[in-house]
Amino acid sequence: MKLIVFLIILIIERLHCRSANDFLKDVFSIEDDLKEQKCSTMQCQTAEYLLKSMNRSVDPCEDFYEFTCGLWVRDHQVKATKVSWYQYKEAEKSITNNLKEILEDNNPDKILDPAQKFYKSCLNSVSNGMNIEYLKSIISLFGGWPIGKNDYSEKLQSLDWIKMYIYMEKNWKVSTILDTGISINYLNTSQYILMIGQPDLMLPRSMFMNPDRYKTQINAYTKLIAGTVLLLYKEFGSTFTRSRHFGDEIANEIINFEMQLAKIQSTGEMKKSEKILRNRIITIDELQKYLNNVSDTFQVDWLKMFRLLFKGTDVLLKKTEKIFVKEENYLKELVRLLEKTPKRILINYMSWCFLRSMLSDIKEDLKNLVQDFNVVFTGDVKEVSRWVDCVSITSSYFAFNVGYKYVTKYFDESAKDMATEMVNNIQEAYMERLKNIVWMDSITRQSAIDKLQSMHKFIAYPDWFHDTSYSHNKLKIMNMTDSYLMNLEILQNESNLKKLSKLNSFHDHTEWTTDIVSVNGYNDIYSNAIVLPAGMLQLPFYHKSRIQALNYGMVGLVVGHEIMHAFDDSGRMYDKHGNRRQWWTQETMETFSIKAECFVQQYNNYSLTVLGNQVKINGQMTQNENIADIGGLSHAYMAYKKYVSKHGAENRLPGLEDLSAEQLFFIGFASIWCESTTEQTLLNDLLTDVHSPGKIRVLGTLSNSNEFSKAFRCPIGSPMNPSKKCQIW
């Protein structure tokens, strides 16, 4: 009894010193304890990240994309400032913020100084009146813009469209009616060679070819041009009287001309089916004679044009100079088109090409026009912050300056060593499979092994970053002005002259040319090299402390994918030195083509609903990328198994104990393709991108994977484990 009284007294005493909040804390104490004890290890963070992305109510054997990405897509709907969002964008966002910090650092730095000045001029481009004045001085050289039907000026009559083209190509790298410069000689990749081909268009070619089907996009393009005319023709000093339909008239002329360009261009499929015929190396003199036969009244002096392009270098071109003609038929049809096109329309079109590349950089009302166009074309309803664009542009022009500082400040050196081990493991997996592949004959198999063994590997950043004396010679140190447009011209001209000066010089296959902070992997077909920049070796793709199954499923897939390109329908045409040479026997080529056709037909059967219509995947256009996904994943998985055999089995993730490391490998692969995009952007991608959309990359790849079906025990005949599979590797 005394004990009970004592306890009652003790409780009363404690009640006097406790508030209502104290009782609430007691009620929720279990949840609070859990929060306090929340696991913060990399494995716990990884599990939490995956759980927030996965829709575990879905059967992985029914729809693995929804299983892996269902919640991610639900929670990452495209925002007003984005036309698409996926895992690559997450990594790019992190790097962009890092680069912003680097470029806005106020501490004096000789390496960063020119990049920082350029970045600042970019930020202030719209508000700086110097830029519109600089633009006006350039347009005046072209006779003003636009030139109307009834406008007559001695300036127009005296204009030389070739000089105008060369100026835009050399000083601005603006795509107009041709693409000229130098490229690596595909027959001897230790050399550079002259190059000529067809240009890019403003809209996808298929839209110009089917204007009735894509009327909405064509109308938006018309409004962009007409609006630009109305805003600028007075700004450019025009004294001619204009009708209220003047902008539409000019827009229609420009679009009609661009439609004609689209009609004579080669498509990706045409290039693939006629590679040998359409990719030729001839002399300038041979090119001149060939194109002179097209017309008696309209002829181009091609030697003169190329000499103008190389003015400012030490290169003296002769008519015997070899030139790589990418699309021979395009050149022939272009001569015919130019012959019947009034000079006024050609000049207007080329001036428009120049203007459209910088509309967002010079005036606020022009930026608004571009935004209105983007709403229709990409679904982007709000402009991104200017600094984001400026960071991207600056890092592209000062790639090594900015990349050097990024690696120094943010990159974990140990990641390079671990990534190198991963790449070596994947290369060994390819070697093992090549030695046992049955559809290649022995001659082709040995050549493939030689090519794999000779492959260069560029991982994270160039080794010369550690050599201070050498690195400073590689970095870009030059004076920048307050005018953004002037800086652009200085940088582009300097870059083009430097590149053009390499003609006939030695091409170093070991030279690193890729952006260090790029979030992507590459296959350099001319150097027989794969590139894995530092930008790829970060979350969500990679972290040295997390389960390696995810690293191999993500970054390992990228590495395997790029190696696979060395042995696909394009890579098979280039040998271990990167030279274009048919090293496959006819029998092996025929077998490969039959196997590849299976993928074409499989992906042709996939379709997505876009803007109310069913749009099919182009299995032919995406063939190489689809095969690279499947082959790359299979070899990355083999490499992961090698890692496990060397380092031991990995523990399961907390909260995901029901999933094995092997299953997490495939979840890692699928998660990098979790994607949210506007339907307008998706349509554009379906028409132009050689890659399949993220969802199709997951479903198509894994439905062909025996390793995946085994890991998830998918019944034969289920959507993710069809009885018929397409396989090459």
Side-chain angles (χ1 to χ4, degrees), residues 227-239:
T228 304
V229 169
L230 296 177
L231 287 174
L232 286 183
Y233 83 90
K234 287 186 178 179
E235 186 86 46
F236 289 158
S238 175
T239 58

Side-chain angles (χ1 to χ4, degrees), residues 19-87:
S19 66
N21 286 335
D22 293 321
F23 289 103
L24 290 174
K25 288 179 180 178
D26 284 343
V27 174
F28 295 103
S29 61
I30 296 178
E31 183 179 340
D32 286 345
D33 287 344
L34 287 175
K35 287 182 179 179
E36 291 175 4
Q37 299 171 13
K38 181 179 178 180
C39 177
S40 60
T41 66
M42 175 52 65
Q43 308 300 15
C44 289
Q45 292 177 36
T46 300
E48 181 181 13
Y49 174 80
L50 292 176
L51 285 167
K52 287 181 178 180
S53 298
M54 299 169 66
N55 182 357
R56 304 206 66 190
S57 67
V58 173
D59 184 346
C61 296
E62 291 292 316
D63 185 343
F64 198 72
Y65 182 81
E66 180 63 26
F67 173 76
T68 303
C69 300
L71 296 187
W72 191 95
V73 174
R74 184 199 68 184
D75 296 336
H76 291 79
Q77 291 300 302
V78 180
K79 298 180 181 180
T81 57
K82 303 179 181 72
V83 296
S84 63
W85 196 250
Y86 45 99
Q87 301 287 25

Side-chain angles (χ1 to χ4, degrees), residues 660-674:
S660 67
E662 288 74 18
Q663 289 174 320
L664 288 174
F665 170 90
F666 293 105
I667 289 172
F669 158 72
S671 69
I672 65 177
W673 306 120
C674 295

Side-chain angles (χ1 to χ4, degrees), residues 184 395-404 406-407 456-465 474-475 502 507-525 527 529-536 562:
I184 296 168
S395 62
S396 68
Y397 279 107
F398 294 90
F400 286 140
N401 300 57
V402 174
Y404 181 84
Y406 172 82
V407 168
H456 299 287
K457 291 167 283 189
F458 299 133
I459 300 173
Y461 56 84
D463 292 336
W464 55 258
F465 268 25
K474 299 284 287 186
L475 301 177
K502 293 182 178 180
H507 167 234
D508 183 0
H509 290 78
T510 65
E511 182 181 12
W512 187 302
T513 58
T514 308
D515 187 352
I516 310 302
V517 296
S518 176
V519 184
N520 210 339
Y522 304 92
N523 178 289
D524 184 342
I525 200 167
S527 293
I530 59 164
V531 186
L532 189 67
M536 279 299 300
E562 299 308 329

Side-chain angles (χ1 to χ4, degrees), residues 433-499:
R433 184 160 287 174
L434 273 175
K435 289 178 178 178
N436 297 287
I437 201 161
V438 296
W439 58 267
M440 274 187 177
D441 59 76
S442 59
I443 297 174
T444 305
R445 185 186 303 114
Q446 186 56 53
S447 294
I449 290 172
D450 291 344
K451 184 173 184 180
L452 182 64
Q453 290 176 329
S454 302
M455 188 171 285
H456 299 287
K457 291 167 283 189
F458 299 133
I459 300 173
Y461 56 84
D463 292 336
W464 55 258
F465 268 25
H466 295 302
D467 185 344
T468 306
S469 60
Y470 183 71
S471 64
H472 281 213
N473 293 328
K474 299 284 287 186
L475 301 177
K476 189 177 293 184
I477 308 297
M478 58 197 315
N479 294 324
M480 291 284 95
T481 72
D482 292 333
S483 168
Y484 175 63
L485 292 192
M486 190 180 295
N487 289 338
L488 275 179
E489 184 168 18
I490 290 170
L491 289 170
Q492 193 61 63
N493 181 260
E494 184 267 347
S495 175
N496 283 336
L497 287 177
K498 184 177 180 180
K499 185 175 182 180

